[in-house]
Amino acid sequence: SFTMSSLCDGVDGWPCNQHAGVAVAFGIIGGIASLLFVAKLYVRLRLNPRGNQVMNQISDKIKSGALQFLRTEYRYLLIFAIIAFAILLGLYTFDPVYDSMDGVRYGVSFLVGAGLSALAGWGGMLVATDANVRTTQAAKEHGLGRALRVAFTGGAVMGFTVVGLGILGLSIVYWVLTFGYDNHDDSFVQESFLFDDNFDPARADKDAVDLQIQLHYAANALAG
């Protein structure tokens, strides 16, 4: 069956010999680096002029309408997120995969994913509407080549924001979900049966697989 120990048989190097917090360090560092790159791109984008007064008025109206749309959308999505959190909390608290805290793990993972997705959407909309007028002005003054560079810079801000928040959030949530467990063998399962004279290795192996499934669905909830 599939367990971390089966993947790490005969391997004594990284990440098999590391705690989950260390194993996901590259994900956390990569997420932070991506967000720092976003800041650099945003500064570069703002160096481009916004154009004349008429262009700015049109841009401001587009931005106002776009943000109002997001506010309305997020109100409905908030209701859905609360309902989904309550369902996950109830289902996996009363019928857990691993222990009684499963409901909290699933629910919080979903809320973190939804929150990061909303944050990326809000920031992306702000940057996109701001980049539009700067792209128009670049095309007017310098032609297609400069306009494309400004447009790609604006698009890259949104893209790297999604990637950075996704990797950073997933890495942190994975570390939280595995906190207190040994992520390269089944000892965390064995400890659960430490005082059980009838400890069954097959049962322990099944529980290890269940935990892997739990982490898989939690990761999907965060990414979605």
Side-chain angles (χ1 to χ4, degrees), residues 171-202:
S171 299
I172 293 175
V173 168
Y174 179 84
W175 177 76
V176 172
L177 287 175
T178 57
F179 185 78
Y181 298 122
D182 186 342
N183 70 316
H184 69 278
D185 60 32
D186 296 337
S187 62
F188 63 91
V189 180
Q190 296 179 22
E191 290 170 1
S192 301
F193 300 94
L194 184 62
F195 300 103
D196 186 357
D197 294 333
N198 298 316
F199 171 74
D200 183 2

Short mmCIF file of all heavy atoms in Angstrom, two decimals, residues 171-202:
data_model
loop_
_atom_site.label_atom_id
_atom_site.label_comp_id
_atom_site.label_asym_id
_atom_site.label_seq_id
_atom_site.Cartn_x
_atom_site.Cartn_y
_atom_site.Cartn_z
N SER A 171 1.90 25.01 1.69
CA SER A 171 3.02 24.54 2.50
C SER A 171 2.75 24.71 3.99
O SER A 171 2.99 23.80 4.79
CB SER A 171 4.30 25.28 2.10
OG SER A 171 4.63 25.06 0.75
N ILE A 172 2.23 25.88 4.35
CA ILE A 172 1.95 26.14 5.77
C ILE A 172 0.84 25.24 6.28
O ILE A 172 0.94 24.66 7.38
CB ILE A 172 1.60 27.62 5.98
CG1 ILE A 172 2.82 28.51 5.70
CG2 ILE A 172 1.09 27.86 7.41
CD1 ILE A 172 2.54 29.99 5.76
N VAL A 173 -0.22 25.08 5.49
CA VAL A 173 -1.32 24.22 5.92
C VAL A 173 -0.87 22.77 6.02
O VAL A 173 -1.24 22.05 6.95
CB VAL A 173 -2.53 24.36 4.97
CG1 VAL A 173 -3.56 23.28 5.24
CG2 VAL A 173 -3.17 25.73 5.15
N TYR A 174 -0.04 22.31 5.08
CA TYR A 174 0.48 20.94 5.16
C TYR A 174 1.27 20.75 6.45
O TYR A 174 1.15 19.72 7.13
CB TYR A 174 1.35 20.64 3.95
CG TYR A 174 1.94 19.25 3.98
CD1 TYR A 174 1.22 18.16 3.52
CD2 TYR A 174 3.22 19.03 4.48
CE1 TYR A 174 1.76 16.89 3.56
CE2 TYR A 174 3.76 17.77 4.53
CZ TYR A 174 3.03 16.70 4.06
OH TYR A 174 3.56 15.44 4.11
N TRP A 175 2.10 21.75 6.79
CA TRP A 175 2.88 21.65 8.02
C TRP A 175 1.96 21.59 9.24
O TRP A 175 2.19 20.81 10.16
CB TRP A 175 3.83 22.83 8.12
CG TRP A 175 4.61 22.84 9.41
CD1 TRP A 175 5.67 22.05 9.73
CD2 TRP A 175 4.35 23.64 10.56
NE1 TRP A 175 6.11 22.33 11.01
CE2 TRP A 175 5.31 23.30 11.53
CE3 TRP A 175 3.41 24.64 10.85
CZ2 TRP A 175 5.35 23.91 12.78
CZ3 TRP A 175 3.46 25.24 12.10
CH2 TRP A 175 4.42 24.88 13.05
N VAL A 176 0.92 22.41 9.24
CA VAL A 176 -0.02 22.41 10.37
C VAL A 176 -0.74 21.07 10.47
O VAL A 176 -0.91 20.52 11.56
CB VAL A 176 -1.03 23.57 10.23
CG1 VAL A 176 -2.12 23.45 11.29
CG2 VAL A 176 -0.32 24.91 10.36
N LEU A 177 -1.15 20.52 9.33
CA LEU A 177 -1.87 19.24 9.34
C LEU A 177 -1.00 18.11 9.84
O LEU A 177 -1.51 17.16 10.45
CB LEU A 177 -2.37 18.91 7.94
CG LEU A 177 -3.54 19.73 7.41
CD1 LEU A 177 -3.83 19.36 5.96
CD2 LEU A 177 -4.79 19.49 8.26
N THR A 178 0.30 18.16 9.57
CA THR A 178 1.19 17.08 9.99
C THR A 178 1.93 17.40 11.28
O THR A 178 2.81 16.64 11.67
CB THR A 178 2.22 16.79 8.89
OG1 THR A 178 2.95 17.99 8.59
CG2 THR A 178 1.54 16.30 7.62
N PHE A 179 1.56 18.49 11.93
CA PHE A 179 2.25 18.88 13.16
C PHE A 179 2.10 17.78 14.21
O PHE A 179 1.01 17.32 14.51
CB PHE A 179 1.70 20.19 13.70
CG PHE A 179 2.46 20.70 14.90
CD1 PHE A 179 3.66 21.35 14.73
CD2 PHE A 179 1.98 20.51 16.18
CE1 PHE A 179 4.37 21.82 15.81
CE2 PHE A 179 2.68 20.99 17.28
CZ PHE A 179 3.88 21.64 17.09
N GLY A 180 3.22 17.37 14.77
CA GLY A 180 3.19 16.33 15.80
C GLY A 180 3.33 14.93 15.26
O GLY A 180 3.43 13.98 16.03
N TYR A 181 3.34 14.78 13.92
CA TYR A 181 3.49 13.47 13.32
C TYR A 181 4.84 13.38 12.63
O TYR A 181 5.37 14.36 12.12
CB TYR A 181 2.39 13.19 12.29
CG TYR A 181 1.01 13.19 12.86
CD1 TYR A 181 0.04 14.07 12.36
CD2 TYR A 181 0.66 12.34 13.89
CE1 TYR A 181 -1.24 14.08 12.89
CE2 TYR A 181 -0.60 12.35 14.42
CZ TYR A 181 -1.56 13.22 13.92
OH TYR A 181 -2.81 13.23 14.43
N ASP A 182 5.37 12.17 12.56
CA ASP A 182 6.60 11.91 11.82
C ASP A 182 6.22 11.64 10.38
O ASP A 182 5.53 10.68 10.08
CB ASP A 182 7.31 10.69 12.43
CG ASP A 182 8.68 10.47 11.79
OD1 ASP A 182 8.90 11.02 10.71
OD2 ASP A 182 9.48 9.73 12.39
N ASN A 183 6.67 12.49 9.45
CA ASN A 183 6.19 12.38 8.09
C ASN A 183 6.99 11.43 7.21
O ASN A 183 6.75 11.35 6.02
CB ASN A 183 6.16 13.77 7.42
CG ASN A 183 7.55 14.30 7.16
OD1 ASN A 183 8.42 14.22 8.02
ND2 ASN A 183 7.75 14.87 5.98
N HIS A 184 7.99 10.70 7.76
CA HIS A 184 8.71 9.79 6.89
C HIS A 184 8.58 8.34 7.30
O HIS A 184 9.15 7.46 6.68
CB HIS A 184 10.18 10.19 6.77
CG HIS A 184 10.98 9.97 8.03
ND1 HIS A 184 10.99 10.87 9.06
CD2 HIS A 184 11.80 8.95 8.40
CE1 HIS A 184 11.78 10.43 10.02
NE2 HIS A 184 12.29 9.27 9.64
N ASP A 185 7.83 8.04 8.36
CA ASP A 185 7.54 6.64 8.65
C ASP A 185 6.20 6.56 9.36
O ASP A 185 5.47 7.55 9.44
CB ASP A 185 8.66 5.99 9.47
CG ASP A 185 8.87 6.70 10.81
OD1 ASP A 185 7.91 7.22 11.40
OD2 ASP A 185 10.02 6.71 11.28
N ASP A 186 5.87 5.37 9.84
CA ASP A 186 4.55 5.17 10.43
C ASP A 186 4.58 5.25 11.95
O ASP A 186 3.64 4.78 12.60
CB ASP A 186 4.00 3.79 10.01
CG ASP A 186 3.77 3.71 8.51
OD1 ASP A 186 3.61 4.74 7.85
OD2 ASP A 186 3.77 2.58 8.01
N SER A 187 5.62 5.83 12.54
CA SER A 187 5.72 5.83 13.99
C SER A 187 4.60 6.62 14.63
O SER A 187 4.17 6.31 15.74
CB SER A 187 7.08 6.40 14.42
OG SER A 187 7.22 7.75 13.99
N PHE A 188 4.10 7.65 13.93
CA PHE A 188 3.02 8.43 14.52
C PHE A 188 1.76 7.58 14.66
O PHE A 188 0.94 7.80 15.54
CB PHE A 188 2.71 9.67 13.67
CG PHE A 188 2.22 9.38 12.28
CD1 PHE A 188 0.87 9.27 12.02
CD2 PHE A 188 3.12 9.22 11.24
CE1 PHE A 188 0.42 9.00 10.74
CE2 PHE A 188 2.67 8.96 9.97
CZ PHE A 188 1.32 8.84 9.71
N VAL A 189 1.60 6.60 13.77
CA VAL A 189 0.46 5.70 13.89
C VAL A 189 0.70 4.71 15.02
O VAL A 189 -0.19 4.43 15.82
CB VAL A 189 0.24 4.94 12.56
CG1 VAL A 189 -0.95 3.99 12.68
CG2 VAL A 189 0.01 5.92 11.42
N GLN A 190 1.92 4.20 15.10
CA GLN A 190 2.24 3.22 16.14
C GLN A 190 2.06 3.82 17.53
O GLN A 190 1.60 3.14 18.45
CB GLN A 190 3.67 2.71 15.96
CG GLN A 190 3.87 1.95 14.65
CD GLN A 190 5.29 1.47 14.49
OE1 GLN A 190 6.02 1.34 15.46
NE2 GLN A 190 5.69 1.23 13.25
N GLU A 191 2.41 5.09 17.68
CA GLU A 191 2.26 5.75 18.98
C GLU A 191 0.80 5.78 19.41
O GLU A 191 0.49 5.79 20.59
CB GLU A 191 2.84 7.16 18.92
CG GLU A 191 4.36 7.18 18.82
CD GLU A 191 4.88 8.56 18.54
OE1 GLU A 191 4.03 9.49 18.44
OE2 GLU A 191 6.10 8.72 18.40
N SER A 192 -0.12 5.82 18.44
CA SER A 192 -1.53 5.83 18.76
C SER A 192 -1.94 4.51 19.41
O SER A 192 -2.94 4.45 20.13
CB SER A 192 -2.37 6.06 17.50
OG SER A 192 -2.03 7.28 16.90
N PHE A 193 -1.18 3.45 19.13
CA PHE A 193 -1.52 2.13 19.66
C PHE A 193 -0.47 1.66 20.66
O PHE A 193 -0.32 0.47 20.91
CB PHE A 193 -1.61 1.11 18.51
CG PHE A 193 -2.65 1.45 17.49
CD1 PHE A 193 -2.32 2.17 16.35
CD2 PHE A 193 -3.98 1.07 17.68
CE1 PHE A 193 -3.28 2.49 15.42
CE2 PHE A 193 -4.94 1.40 16.74
CZ PHE A 193 -4.59 2.11 15.60
N LEU A 194 0.29 2.61 21.22
CA LEU A 194 1.39 2.27 22.10
C LEU A 194 0.93 1.47 23.30
O LEU A 194 1.62 0.56 23.75
CB LEU A 194 2.10 3.56 22.56
CG LEU A 194 3.34 3.39 23.43
CD1 LEU A 194 4.41 2.63 22.64
CD2 LEU A 194 3.87 4.73 23.88
N PHE A 195 -0.26 1.76 23.81
CA PHE A 195 -0.76 1.07 25.00
C PHE A 195 -1.74 -0.03 24.65
O PHE A 195 -2.49 -0.49 25.50
CB PHE A 195 -1.42 2.08 25.95
CG PHE A 195 -0.48 3.15 26.41
CD1 PHE A 195 -0.52 4.42 25.86
CD2 PHE A 195 0.49 2.87 27.36
CE1 PHE A 195 0.37 5.40 26.27
CE2 PHE A 195 1.38 3.85 27.77
CZ PHE A 195 1.30 5.13 27.22
N ASP A 196 -1.73 -0.43 23.36
CA ASP A 196 -2.64 -1.47 22.91
C ASP A 196 -1.86 -2.76 22.75
O ASP A 196 -1.00 -2.89 21.89
CB ASP A 196 -3.28 -1.07 21.58
CG ASP A 196 -4.35 -2.06 21.13
OD1 ASP A 196 -4.55 -3.06 21.83
OD2 ASP A 196 -4.96 -1.80 20.08
N ASP A 197 -2.15 -3.76 23.59
CA ASP A 197 -1.45 -5.04 23.49
C ASP A 197 -1.76 -5.76 22.21
O ASP A 197 -1.03 -6.67 21.80
CB ASP A 197 -1.82 -5.93 24.69
CG ASP A 197 -1.30 -5.36 25.99
OD1 ASP A 197 -0.29 -4.62 25.96
OD2 ASP A 197 -1.93 -5.65 27.03
N ASN A 198 -2.88 -5.39 21.57
CA ASN A 198 -3.29 -6.05 20.35
C ASN A 198 -2.97 -5.20 19.13
O ASN A 198 -3.72 -5.17 18.16
CB ASN A 198 -4.80 -6.35 20.38
CG ASN A 198 -5.16 -7.29 21.50
OD1 ASN A 198 -4.47 -8.28 21.72
ND2 ASN A 198 -6.23 -6.98 22.23
N PHE A 199 -1.87 -4.49 19.18
CA PHE A 199 -1.48 -3.62 18.06
C PHE A 199 -1.37 -4.44 16.78
O PHE A 199 -0.72 -5.48 16.73
CB PHE A 199 -0.14 -2.95 18.37
CG PHE A 199 0.44 -2.21 17.21
CD1 PHE A 199 -0.11 -1.00 16.83
CD2 PHE A 199 1.51 -2.74 16.51
CE1 PHE A 199 0.42 -0.30 15.76
CE2 PHE A 199 2.02 -2.05 15.42
CZ PHE A 199 1.50 -0.84 15.05
N ASP A 200 -2.02 -3.95 15.73
CA ASP A 200 -2.07 -4.64 14.45
C ASP A 200 -1.35 -3.80 13.40
O ASP A 200 -1.82 -2.73 13.04
CB ASP A 200 -3.53 -4.86 14.05
CG ASP A 200 -3.64 -5.65 12.74
OD1 ASP A 200 -2.59 -6.04 12.20
OD2 ASP A 200 -4.78 -5.86 12.29
N PRO A 201 -0.22 -4.27 12.85
CA PRO A 201 0.50 -3.48 11.84
C PRO A 201 -0.35 -3.19 10.61
O PRO A 201 -0.22 -2.13 10.00
CB PRO A 201 1.70 -4.37 11.49
CG PRO A 201 1.89 -5.26 12.68
CD PRO A 201 0.50 -5.49 13.22
N ALA A 202 -1.21 -4.12 10.23
CA ALA A 202 -2.06 -3.89 9.06
C ALA A 202 -3.01 -2.73 9.32
O ALA A 202 -3.27 -1.90 8.44
CB ALA A 202 -2.85 -5.16 8.73
#
